[in-house]
Amino acid sequence: PEAVVRKYLEELKRAPGDEDCIICMEKLSSPSGYSDACECSTIKPETVGRLTNCQHSFHMLCMLAMYSSGNKDGSLQCPSCKAIYGEKTGTQPKGKMEVSTFPQSLPGHKDCGTIQIVYHISRGIQGPEHPNPGMPYTARGFPRYCYLPDNEKGRKVLELLRVAWRRRLIFTVGTSSTTGESNTVVWNEIHHKTEMDTNLSGHGYPDPNYLDNVLAELAAQGVTEDCL
């Protein structure tokens, strides 16, 4: 963990005057609020670092505590602007992603056919990266069927979804917002259209903003055209 923090944060000789660390809410000129909770022989509580690209500053010990509480995949995400350093991976359980096409059009996309994605995930046992390692998790509602227009933008979204799937970012193990069930496979902040012919639920077509919205959600997970 220390090597990851030092890889992406440049140690500052002097803390920025009146700024707060938004992780512990203490002044950067004061020691980290995580001094007691996160001991580290190589990073002192008062050491401040700046992320190399976005230039936001934090106590380095706070970043270490934040990184250590995640799934420790070698990437860091700026808590201020959400910029991602390294390759973010998730905690999606094992499964299979299948893709096919057919000629029927989606409402709002009369000029093209349809891409169908089918996600398969089965129940299993939680790993060390999950909320309750060693406990079972359920996988309700699988296989899950999702739809994209088979046009240039839809195909680009598909390729980015393939990257997100490989990086284990599309699903996670958590608590279902619809049923309240815990220790179950749930969607993970990348919205999919699961209905073709109606948008009464918000999960179907027509929806003229959907492709742009899902591209933004993918980018927020570090999945952009640069990955293709």
Side-chain angles (χ1 to χ4, degrees):
E2 288 131 56
V4 173
V5 169
R6 290 194 179 279
K7 181 177 180 180
Y8 299 119
L9 282 100
E10 172 192 12
E11 190 174 323
L12 298 179
K13 298 281 187 284
R14 182 183 298 171
D18 209 30
E19 276 184 49
D20 291 341
C21 172
I22 70 162
I23 302 173
C24 71
M25 304 313 292
E26 300 285 348
K27 292 269 183 252
L28 287 172
S29 52
S30 305
S32 162
Y34 282 90
S35 305
D36 297 333
C38 184
E39 290 184 19
C40 172
S41 57
T42 62
I43 298 175
K44 295 185 173 67
E46 62 273 14
T47 306
V48 173
R50 179 186 289 148
L51 284 164
T52 48
N53 292 344
C54 65
Q55 301 287 295
H56 288 117
S57 299
F58 310 91
H59 293 116
M60 290 181 74
L61 202 59
C62 290
M63 286 300 278
L64 181 66
M66 188 184 82
Y67 177 78
S68 298
S69 70
N71 64 330
K72 297 187 278 292
D73 62 359
S75 75
L76 275 182
Q77 187 160 20
C78 174
S80 183
C81 69
K82 307 303 179 194
I84 293 172
Y85 294 77
E87 185 178 294
K88 181 178 180 179
T89 58
T91 59
Q92 172 181 290
K94 284 189 171 65
K96 188 167 63 170
M97 174 184 182
E98 294 177 332
V99 177
S100 59
T101 58
F102 52 86
Q104 185 181 338
S105 295
L106 293 164
H109 296 280
K110 299 291 185 198
D111 55 336
C112 62
T114 296
I115 298 166
Q116 177 178 270
I117 304 168
V118 187
Y119 294 114
H120 301 265
I121 294 179
S122 302
R123 63 187 182 180
I125 302 297
Q126 296 181 50
E129 71 275 31
H130 294 134
N132 296 294
M135 279 185 64
Y137 63 82
T138 56
R140 312 262 184 225
F142 287 91
R144 295 191 187 183
Y145 292 79
C146 309
Y147 304 96
L148 292 167
D150 191 7
N151 56 21
E152 187 179 353
K153 202 176 222 178
R155 288 189 289 271
K156 180 165 85 171
V157 168
L158 171 64
E159 292 311 309
L160 293 172
L161 288 173
R162 289 186 199 270
V163 174
W165 174 263
R166 285 196 298 272
R167 294 186 185 176
R168 303 175 66 196
L169 294 167
I170 291 179
F171 296 97
T172 187
V173 174
T175 300
S176 168
S177 58
T178 48
T179 66
E181 182 183 6
S182 56
N183 301 306
T184 192
V185 180
V186 294
W187 293 105
N188 184 37
E189 297 177 27
I190 300 172
H191 286 87
H192 285 63
K193 293 297 188 184
T194 53
E195 296 174 9
M196 283 188 64
D197 299 326
T198 172
N199 198 19
L200 294 175
S201 64
H203 303 304
Y205 292 92
D207 182 346
N209 300 318
Y210 171 64
L211 294 177
D212 289 328
N213 290 344
V214 76
L215 286 169
E217 290 170 348
L218 284 157
Q221 301 287 340
V223 181
T224 65
E225 283 187 71
D226 294 342
C227 305
L228 299 179

